[in-house]
Amino acid sequence: MNENNLNEQEIVRRETLSKLYELGINPYPAEEFKFSHYSFDILNNFIDENPEKFNNVSLAGRIMSRRIMGNASFAELQDSSGRIQLYFKRDSICEGEDKTWYNTVFKKLLDIGDIIGVSGYVFRTQMGEISVHVKEFKILSKSIKPLPIVKEKEGHIYDAFTDPDQRYRNRSVDLIVNTGVKEVFIKRTKLTNSMRNFLNSRGYLEVETPILQTLYGGAAARPFKTHHNTLNQTLYLRIANELYLKRLIVGGFDGVYEFAKDFRNEGMDRFHNPEFTQMELYVAYKDYEWMMNLVEEMVEKIAIDLHGDTKLKVGENIIDFKRPWKRFTMFEVIEHFTGIDISKMDETELLKTAKELGVETNDSMAKGKLIDEIFGECCESKLIQPTFITDYPIEMSPLAKKHRSIEGLVERFEAICNGKEICNAYSELNDPIDQRKRFEDQLKLAKRGDEEAMMLDEDFLKAIEVGMPPTAGLGIGIDRLAMIMTDSNSIQDVLFFPQMRPEIKQNSSESADFEEMGIPSDWVNVIQKAGYTKVEELKEVNPNKLHQQICGLNKKLKLGLKNPTQEEIKEWVQ
RNA sequence: GACUGAUUAGCUCAGCAGGUAGAGCAUCUGCCUUUUAAGCAGAGGGUCCGGAGUUCGAGCCUCCGAUCAGUCACCA
């Protein structure tokens, strides 16, 4: 960070830093600060009749507001559990004659954003607010970058820090300043904990499988590609972990699951981030009917763990996760929403129907893809309450087992909720001959132009040739589920650090380039501040004008530098 | 990628028929011993996203570009 980028307020804060040092105060002390309470404990347990209980408390946190009134002042301290008001009184802070700690350190050298530790006693103000009467305070970390100040009165928020771009790029500030952001992430962790507990209680084993893979598979998506130097080999970041987990089922584990970061090199929007989290589960000797029951039970439990209720508000809707959820086959739900029975149609008829329904089509679409497109276009967004859609066309499910009774379909289901898929599951295909044929069909699709057709994975085939028990498999989108469970409108709201476009940096000359011209480093900053980012620009400027500009800035910014003479400047510029 | 909208002080945002910029908070200087979006008095702070054009004159109009947002498209 270059000095010339500092704004006035940042300069002021750096000055207060040096004043603290002059007073012998270390603004970044090394030693532990022991504190007795969190703000939450005090606010919840303080009883007016019995204030002695909180006669001597200490706590630490960040100053979020200050109201200074002569010899007494109020401030708000924010710790990890919430906020509490502090009361500073001059003669309590400074019992002797020397009032420096109140008049100077507290009033002049403390800022919003500073982290302090305080000790004192708890009381209730005339306005009825439980507060800590501070007897001693200590600076634990001085903040030299001003926070955006968000104020609130009667539930109304003023000057909110709302620009999504700024919030996501600067998540630390977002978490400090915007109430409710932390809760979303705490809920997300509760969600995964709840799910993990549920799976562990059933005896399934949490495992880890490779993220760097020589072949990507298990889903239809474009991958991120990287390179391993020692092996001199292309590797891919996984798009799914399905094929590895199934190998573990072959290996004799009856139930395995993984919370997996997967990576897909595709579009970004409020439902898609290039890296996202999926929980995949495989259980031997089960089928997709059994898995539907498990999903219902698990998600219902998560809703209760998070909200104490199966019902919750998501956007405009109340969603109820109470079992049992509705179940439709894909053909049924399409007929339900379009009035058209497509179950007997061939590819030509489907193409015609799709066009009639206003579904965009192209030549690479085969029968299965067309059905999926019709579903996606006409049904998915209308399914708000959790609903299972079952029995998908075989062409788009190369890893799922053929339906036990209906030709052309597979035993697959998705759960749709709030108009979006939240999970996908199959009775897993364990017939190695059929599996090989399905991979070969995918290759044909790829030749037809389907960029997402799956690759043939010889090692995986080898594994299931050894023999995989009948298995039910599930992939559940954790981010999507977290969005629903936290009523978030965008995936970026449930990811601490969502992928962002890189910030554009102006291509400017390095400070060293200016110094080579003979300009002292102190003045390089000033020149850059004056708007000259490239040395070439400086060579064209009138030296007298430059002299005036930078001397003016020196004065304006109170830099305290000794102004150069006009002759010196001419020498720089020549 | 398409369309629509946005970009003005550290933050949130005004601004007019095109006449050279304003509020609140934040900052700085005072005052104020229980306030709470504290208050009062004063001050500083802006290449009005960048570039070009029209004009006597552009924050405002036109064109080009950048970035962000929303919608759509793409995307299990």
Side-chain angles (χ1 to χ4, degrees):
Chain A
M1 182 67 177
N2 202 320
E3 288 276 333
N4 70 336
N5 292 324
L6 298 181
N7 64 43
E8 184 193 351
Q9 291 184 36
E10 290 171 318
I11 292 164
V12 168
R13 292 222 179 173
R14 269 154 216 255
E15 283 165 4
T16 64
L17 257 192
S18 39
K19 284 180 196 152
L20 285 169
Y21 283 117
E22 282 165 26
L23 286 169
I25 297 167
N26 178 0
Y28 303 104
E31 64 276 10
E32 174 189 9
F33 181 82
K34 290 200 170 76
F35 59 93
S36 63
H37 289 79
Y38 288 102
S39 59
F40 182 87
D41 303 331
I42 296 173
L43 295 175
N44 276 280
N45 297 314
F46 180 78
I47 303 165
D48 292 280
E49 290 72 40
N50 187 15
E52 296 77 28
K53 197 178 160 196
F54 294 106
N55 249 343
N56 190 9
V57 300
S58 52
L59 54 175
R62 191 184 297 275
I63 299 176
M64 295 305 289
S65 72
R66 293 199 306 161
R67 295 181 284 279
I68 294 177
M69 321 176 303
N71 294 332
S73 305
F74 292 89
E76 275 181 296
L77 188 80
Q78 174 167 298
D79 64 16
S80 62
S81 74
R83 284 189 190 187
I84 191 166
Q85 179 168 268
L86 305 179
Y87 176 63
F88 291 83
K89 192 175 172 183
R90 191 227 281 147
D91 297 334
S92 300
I93 305 280
C94 314
E95 291 193 320
E97 285 303 303
D98 180 5
K99 305 299 183 193
T100 307
W101 269 86
Y102 183 78
N103 287 340
T104 308
V105 181
F106 172 74
K107 278 171 73 171
K108 301 264 171 76
L109 304 180
L110 236 45
D111 288 295
I112 289 169
D114 290 354
I115 295 172
I116 61 168
V118 302
S119 60
Y121 64 87
V122 181
F123 73 112
R124 193 185 284 275
T125 66
Q126 289 178 2
M127 298 301 289
E129 179 149 351
I130 295 166
S131 309
V132 177
H133 186 126
V134 177
K135 294 179 127 172
E136 266 183 84
F137 71 93
K138 178 178 180 181
I139 297 176
L140 302 178
S141 181
K142 181 81 191 145
S143 166
I144 58 168
K145 200 165 188 68
L147 289 173
I149 309 294
V150 178
K151 299 211 169 184
E152 192 186 338
K153 189 188 189 181
E154 288 156 9
H156 194 357
I157 294 174
Y158 299 82
D159 297 340
F161 177 59
T162 52
D163 181 356
D165 186 54
Q166 292 297 317
R167 285 183 49 215
Y168 303 140
R169 283 190 201 282
N170 207 347
R171 186 66 94 176
S172 316
V173 170
D174 185 34
L175 285 162
I176 293 168
V177 140
N178 286 328
T179 49
V181 176
K182 266 166 115 175
E183 276 64 37
V184 167
F185 289 99
I186 292 169
K187 258 189 194 154
R188 183 184 167 122
T189 297
K190 278 186 182 161
L191 185 163
T192 51
N193 285 344
S194 169
M195 191 177 280
R196 194 171 262 125
N197 290 340
F198 176 89
L199 297 168
N200 288 343
S201 73
R202 292 180 161 227
Y204 306 140
L205 186 71
E206 181 166 12
V207 298
E208 293 183 276
T209 62
I211 292 172
L212 282 175
Q213 305 181 344
T214 49
L215 269 184
Y216 57 97
R222 279 174 285 165
F224 285 93
K225 218 172 155 178
T226 184
H227 184 260
H228 189 282
N229 291 338
T230 301
L231 298 175
N232 189 22
Q233 182 185 24
T234 298
L235 292 174
Y236 302 94
L237 298 181
R238 70 179 168 201
I239 58 172
N241 50 359
E242 171 154 359
L243 303 185
Y244 283 93
L245 290 176
K246 282 185 186 168
R247 281 176 234 206
L248 298 181
I249 296 290
V250 172
F253 293 103
D254 276 358
V256 289
Y257 72 93
E258 178 173 14
F259 283 89
K261 266 280 176 81
D262 292 338
F263 304 83
R264 297 186 185 176
N265 206 342
E266 290 171 346
M268 286 162 63
D269 60 30
R270 68 191 186 93
F271 290 105
H272 299 87
N273 195 64
E275 61 178 282
F276 66 102
T277 305
Q278 251 197 124
M279 195 287 293
E280 290 197 31
L281 166 70
Y282 293 82
V283 183
Y285 308 112
K286 307 298 184 189
D287 65 3
Y288 79 137
E289 297 275 356
W290 177 90
M291 188 61 91
M292 265 188 266
N293 295 332
L294 177 139
V295 170
E296 276 180 345
E297 189 181 340
M298 181 168 73
V299 176
E300 185 193 65
K301 173 185 176 286
I302 289 168
I304 293 170
D305 284 354
L306 265 58
H307 301 96
D309 194 355
T310 59
K311 290 195 185 96
L312 57 137
K313 192 171 165 295
V314 181
E316 299 299 302
N317 305 307
I318 304 286
I319 290 181
D320 192 350
F321 288 100
K322 190 167 178 52
R323 287 181 286 167
W325 299 355
K326 277 187 211 147
R327 298 183 185 189
F328 290 111
T329 69
M330 176 149 271
F331 289 140
E332 282 169 357
V333 79
I334 289 174
E335 188 169 353
H336 177 80
F337 284 109
T338 66
I340 303 170
D341 177 9
I342 60 166
S343 62
K344 306 282 184 315
M345 291 186 179
D346 62 17
E347 191 173 319
T348 333
E349 288 173 296
L350 276 170
L351 188 64
K352 189 165 155 270
T353 309
K355 282 182 178 155
E356 279 166 12
L357 289 168
V359 177
E360 281 198 32
T361 57
N362 67 53
D363 291 344
S364 80
M365 288 181 179
K367 198 173 158 187
K369 187 83 178 165
L370 284 166
I371 295 172
D372 188 51
E373 288 294 322
I374 293 171
F375 171 74
E377 190 68 31
C378 304
C379 310
E380 193 172 12
S381 64
K382 294 174 184 155
L383 294 166
I384 302 302
Q385 296 303 323
T387 306
F388 289 117
I389 306 299
T390 63
D391 300 347
Y392 282 61
I394 192 165
E395 294 88 341
M396 28 170 327
S397 314
L399 302 167
K401 198 174 229 178
K402 279 180 183 157
H403 196 279
R404 60 195 73 183
S405 56
I406 306 172
E407 186 66 25
L409 300 183
V410 289
E411 298 206 346
R412 169 177 177 182
F413 72 84
E414 291 189 356
I416 313 288
C417 180
N418 205 30
K420 278 281 167 187
E421 168 201 342
I422 56 171
C423 79
N424 181 20
Y426 321 130
S427 298
E428 299 295 339
L429 177 53
N430 64 342
D431 174 346
I433 306 295
D434 190 11
Q435 182 66 79
R436 181 175 293 277
K437 187 176 163 298
R438 302 273 201 97
F439 275 137
E440 283 163 358
D441 289 344
Q442 286 292 306
L443 292 180
K444 285 180 203 153
L445 281 181
K447 281 194 185 134
R448 215 167 137 170
D450 188 342
E451 280 190 73
E452 295 184 336
M454 256 177 232
M455 299 168 80
L456 190 146
D457 187 333
E458 203 61 61
D459 286 343
F460 170 68
L461 282 171
K462 223 182 272 175
I464 64 167
E465 280 167 6
V466 171
M468 182 170 89
T471 297
L474 166 73
I476 182 162
I478 297 299
D479 311 286
R480 298 267 177 93
L481 190 59
M483 283 170 67
I484 291 171
M485 290 291 173
T486 60
D487 190 11
S488 297
N489 194 36
S490 157
I491 196 169
Q492 295 171 309
D493 289 328
V494 298
L495 298 170
F496 273 126
F497 304 105
Q499 191 64 47
M500 302 292 286
R501 205 178 291 273
E503 278 189 287
I504 308 297
K505 294 232 169 76
Q506 273 194 343
N507 67 336
S508 51
S509 302
E510 297 291 321
S511 299
D513 298 332
F514 288 100
E515 284 174 36
E516 263 179 39
M517 299 169 73
I519 303 171
S521 57
D522 285 345
W523 285 103
V524 171
N525 295 333
V526 183
I527 285 168
Q528 288 173 338
K529 183 88 185 170
Y532 302 100
T533 54
K534 295 180 189 164
V535 288
E536 294 79 28
E537 293 172 343
L538 212 52
K539 287 182 174 157
E540 289 163 17
V541 76
N542 179 338
N544 292 332
K545 183 184 170 196
L546 181 65
H547 182 251
Q548 286 188 347
Q549 274 185 314
I550 65 173
C551 293
L553 277 172
N554 183 26
K555 189 178 171 192
K556 182 169 147 192
L557 300 176
K558 298 169 189 154
L559 299 176
L561 299 172
K562 185 169 178 285
N563 285 335
T565 63
Q566 293 197 1
E567 275 65 38
E568 283 173 312
I569 287 181
K570 274 180 196 157
E571 281 170 32
W572 298 350
V573 178
Q574 272 160 12

